[in-house]
Amino acid sequence: MLETVSKGFRSAKNFLQGQAELTESNTDEALREVRMSLLEADVEFSVVKGFLARVREKSIGSTVLTKGKDKDGKKLKLNPADRFIGFCYEELEALMGPVNTDIILNKPIGTIMMVGLQGTGKTTTTGKLAKHLISLKHRPMLVAADIYRPAAVDQLKVLGERLGVPVFAEEGTPPPELCKKAIQKAKEHQCDVVLFDTAGRLSIDDALMDELGAIKENTKPDNIFLVVDAMMGQDAVRTALEFHQKLDIDGFIMTKLDGDARGGAALSIKEITERPIKFLGMGEDLDALEEFRPQGLASRILGMGDVVGLVKDFEQHIDAEKAEQDAQRMLQGKFTFEDFLDQLRTIKKMGSVQSLLEKIPGMGDMMPEGQTVDDGEFVKLEAMVCSMTKEERRNPSLFDKSKSRKQRVAKGSGRTVKELDELLQRFNMMKQMMQMIGMQPGLMGKMPGMKNMAKMAKMARGMGGGMPGMGGMGGMGGDMSALFGGMDPFGAGGNTPLAPPPGYFSMSKAGGGGGKSAKDKKNKRKAQKAARKKNKKRK
């Protein structure tokens, strides 16, 4: 999702590898890469200029010792690239924060006014916010104040039914009066929060602003949240500024950050409007609303992952006790396609697989530039498993004895017999591997990549989180098999459990993918060498 804005920081880091000091020359070269990336991501020009100036000021003349010790006496190795990325991280976090995701609600009935243009996902976001409030023990009521878009009222009613909350709608009543009536209705339904889903337009106009102003005057909302489409880039910032000047908004909810958003709006909007981003919409499901953490997004932009965000995803969607049982059964070789299907659906609830991978430290560097995980692959896997009978899911060996079973499943899922064979092969391979590990517990720590995963688990615990459902397998579930089941994309067929196997995921460009090959590493070394020669010539 943040490939455009991230690539400049990766290029800058590669350029600075091997340098002994951050000088004016090499810092300017590194910042040039970052500047191009930020502008391409549609970050507002004045924001880019200020950000680069602050990073430059911190970087120039910063001599970096190659060795040192931390406060605990442990040996550390630092280089200019790490130092530079550290300065970038500090400034990115400052650019987007600080932020407080608490929602201030007056008693006895709190009010939240949701505003935004058409197509930003405002009605869906209203439902997501209601779900979030329910998790905080509130009793929300939704108000269908968008009377101009025919489907809006019906859509809100469907969301209300899914959430089990009342929806107030009244034909022929002007939105300002409708919203005022809704507060009284909320008392009758014993609700303590009212969310107004107001109308949008394709662009800002006087009629829209007059109506929103009248709703604000009639209801005196505790919070006004503007829903912004992250894919709009600088247009989103200009829209936010106009809404803020007319309505004095309290914060933003940014949607579609799990798609092809370039990320420019997320980096610009706080600086320009001086109002915080409160939440991020990371998918279509009603659970797909994240509290905004500037440090988490900054870390993901720089390719360092977001352990805390990953932990929160697991805590929200995974039943720790059930996942623990799944892990134990898997180590005994008793894992089935039914377990796999459950865990596949759990992953889908957590948003796009790409955004999940971005939260894993180091995963960004393992994915080839410009290539992303195609969530459609998981749809194909689910279709094949759903086309199996219960008996076949529990006993996949039945396929070994019957070609007609394979043909039936392939035809029912719209896939080929070859694709089904690949699924069965990987499933059986991973099942055997985990059974072997279960028989030799000490083997887990010897596998490539396991030490890194153990460090990640320790880091997560240190940040106040665990990995529910990952227990019973070295604290983290080793290679995340308890989450992905037998089709673990981090373990099957790769040299390291952190690297997706070649060809497992479809990529957005030429097929294939997975961990870095020897050729990728060789090309990277060549690029670094060329960059150093270029730098010497400038001197």
Side-chain angles (χ1 to χ4, degrees):
M1 84 179 176
L2 296 168
E3 173 63 25
T4 304
V5 72
S6 296
K7 67 181 181 181
F9 292 101
R10 281 201 303 271
S11 298
K13 184 179 179 181
N14 290 338
F15 172 76
L16 291 171
Q17 293 289 355
Q19 304 281 340
E21 186 180 12
L22 288 173
T23 64
E24 186 171 347
S25 175
N26 61 28
T27 297
D28 285 344
E29 183 65 30
L31 287 174
R32 188 176 295 115
E33 297 287 345
V34 173
R35 179 170 60 249
M36 291 173 61
S37 182
L38 291 175
L39 292 175
E40 189 179 344
D42 217 7
V43 181
E44 205 274 336
F45 179 73
S46 65
V47 174
V48 174
K49 188 176 178 180
F51 172 80
L52 296 174
R54 292 190 294 272
V55 173
R56 187 178 191 275
E57 184 180 354
K58 285 185 174 183
S59 299
I60 291 179
S62 176
T63 302
V64 182
L65 300 175
T66 56
K67 293 182 180 180
K69 292 183 178 181
D70 64 10
K71 60 182 180 181
D72 297 323
K74 293 181 180 179
K75 291 182 179 180
L76 298 175
K77 286 187 177 181
L78 295 174
N79 57 54
D82 293 332
R83 191 80 170 175
F84 178 82
I85 292 298
F87 293 143
C88 290
Y89 174 84
E90 291 170 6
E91 291 304 322
L92 281 172
E93 186 180 349
L95 190 66
M96 297 182 286
V99 64
N100 181 0
T101 56
D102 292 340
I103 302 175
I104 307 301
L105 297 168
N106 290 323
K107 294 184 178 181
I109 298 178
T111 49
I112 301 174
M113 185 175 169
M114 305 289 286
V115 301
L117 298 179
Q118 282 183 7
T120 58
K122 179 164 47 60
T123 300
T124 303
T125 302
T126 301
K128 290 180 182 179
L129 188 57
K131 179 74 180 286
H132 175 71
L133 291 167
I134 291 171
S135 71
L136 298 176
K137 310 301 181 186
H138 286 289
R139 301 180 303 281
M141 183 176 84
L142 307 179
V143 181
D146 185 356
I147 62 174
Y148 310 107
R149 186 167 63 92
V153 177
D154 293 336
Q155 183 184 355
L156 201 66
K157 286 180 178 178
V158 170
L159 291 173
E161 188 175 338
R162 286 177 59 187
L163 293 168
V165 301
V167 177
F168 180 65
E170 195 172 83
E171 289 186 20
T173 304
E177 187 180 339
L178 178 74
C179 292
K180 190 172 183 179
K181 280 186 178 181
I183 298 175
Q184 184 59 42
K185 285 289 181 181
K187 295 178 182 177
E188 296 176 15
H189 287 284
Q190 296 184 330
C191 296
D192 63 350
V193 186
V194 179
L195 290 89
F196 307 119
D197 179 30
T198 65
R201 298 283 193 281
L202 294 176
S203 59
I204 295 174
D205 58 26
D206 292 336
L208 170 66
M209 286 303 172
D210 289 344
E211 181 177 285
L212 295 177
I215 293 174
K216 178 182 178 182
E217 183 65 28
N218 274 12
T219 61
K220 303 290 190 296
D222 301 326
N223 302 274
I224 301 178
F225 292 150
L226 175 63
V227 181
V228 178
D229 184 343
M231 299 178 74
M232 291 172 62
Q234 289 195 48
D235 285 339
V237 179
R238 285 190 285 270
T239 298
L241 197 56
E242 290 189 52
F243 268 97
H244 179 49
Q245 289 170 347
K246 298 287 178 66
L247 297 172
D248 189 23
I249 63 175
D250 297 289
F252 304 99
I253 300 178
M254 193 157 288
T255 62
K256 305 180 185 178
L257 262 172
D258 59 320
D260 296 326
R262 289 171 290 181
L267 295 178
S268 306
I269 207 163
K270 163 68 166 50
E271 181 85 354
I272 299 298
T273 64
E274 298 183 346
R275 286 293 185 271
I277 301 171
K278 290 278 192 176
F279 298 93
L280 299 178
M282 300 298 293
E284 292 299 318
D285 195 83
L286 289 176
D287 289 318
L289 189 71
E290 293 183 6
E291 292 184 345
F292 180 58
R293 296 174 45 257
Q295 60 271 41
L297 190 57
S299 184
R300 285 157 70 179
I301 287 171
L302 296 174
M304 299 186 297
D306 179 12
V307 175
V308 175
L310 190 62
V311 169
K312 287 186 176 182
D313 283 343
F314 287 139
E315 288 177 340
Q316 185 176 356
H317 296 96
I318 293 178
D319 183 330
E321 186 176 345
K322 182 180 182 302
E324 179 78 23
Q325 293 170 357
D326 287 346
Q328 290 174 359
R329 286 207 325 277
M330 188 174 183
L331 290 174
Q332 295 169 1
K334 297 178 181 178
F335 198 78
T336 70
F337 268 116
E338 287 190 333
D339 299 313
F340 170 64
L341 188 61
D342 287 342
Q343 296 185 4
L344 198 64
R345 287 169 175 169
T346 299
I347 296 167
K348 290 171 68 177
K349 289 179 183 177
M350 295 165 68
S352 72
V353 179
Q354 181 68 27
S355 65
L356 182 64
L357 295 183
E358 285 173 358
K359 293 180 182 179
I360 300 174
M363 186 56 72
D365 290 336
M366 293 182 184
M367 298 293 286
E369 186 175 335
Q371 295 186 341
T372 57
V373 176
D374 181 7
D375 283 358
E377 287 299 301
F378 283 73
V379 176
K380 295 175 186 177
L381 295 177
E382 186 176 3
M384 285 189 280
V385 177
C386 286
S387 295
M388 299 175 186
T389 65
K390 285 186 177 180
E391 188 180 6
E392 288 166 346
R393 291 180 204 169
R394 293 170 184 167
N395 185 15
S397 62
L398 291 172
F399 289 105
D400 299 336
K401 307 169 186 175
S402 175
K403 188 176 181 180
S404 62
R405 287 182 186 271
K406 291 183 179 180
Q407 291 172 337
R408 191 199 75 251
V409 171
K411 187 175 181 180
S413 60
R415 312 314 308 164
T416 64
V417 173
K418 182 182 178 183
E419 287 175 305
L420 178 61
D421 282 336
E422 289 175 356
L423 171 64
L424 292 168
Q425 183 183 2
R426 289 183 182 277
F427 184 90
N428 289 328
M429 180 179 66
M430 197 62 203
K431 188 174 179 180
Q432 291 170 9
M433 183 188 296
M434 295 314 297
Q435 188 175 15
M436 181 183 67
I437 292 170
M439 293 169 65
Q440 304 179 56
L443 184 63
M444 204 68 165
K446 298 176 183 178
M447 292 177 68
M450 286 297 106
K451 292 181 180 179
N452 291 335
M453 293 300 282
K455 288 178 183 178
M456 181 177 165
K458 185 176 180 182
M459 189 189 308
R461 289 193 293 272
M463 293 180 178
M467 289 282 185
M470 301 308 222
M473 297 170 65
M476 269 292 295
D479 53 7
M480 297 184 76
S481 298
L483 180 64
F484 283 85
M487 289 296 292
D488 175 24
F490 305 108
N495 292 325
T496 164
L498 276 175
Y504 182 78
F505 293 122
S506 290
M507 298 297 178
S508 60
K509 291 187 179 179
K516 285 186 176 179
S517 65
K519 186 177 179 181
D520 292 331
K521 292 176 181 177
K522 186 176 180 181
N523 289 338
K524 183 178 178 181
R525 286 195 295 270
K526 283 184 178 179
Q528 291 173 350
K529 187 176 180 180
R532 286 194 292 272
K533 284 183 177 179
K534 185 179 177 183
N535 187 42
K536 286 179 181 178
K537 287 181 180 179
R538 285 197 177 93
K539 290 181 178 179

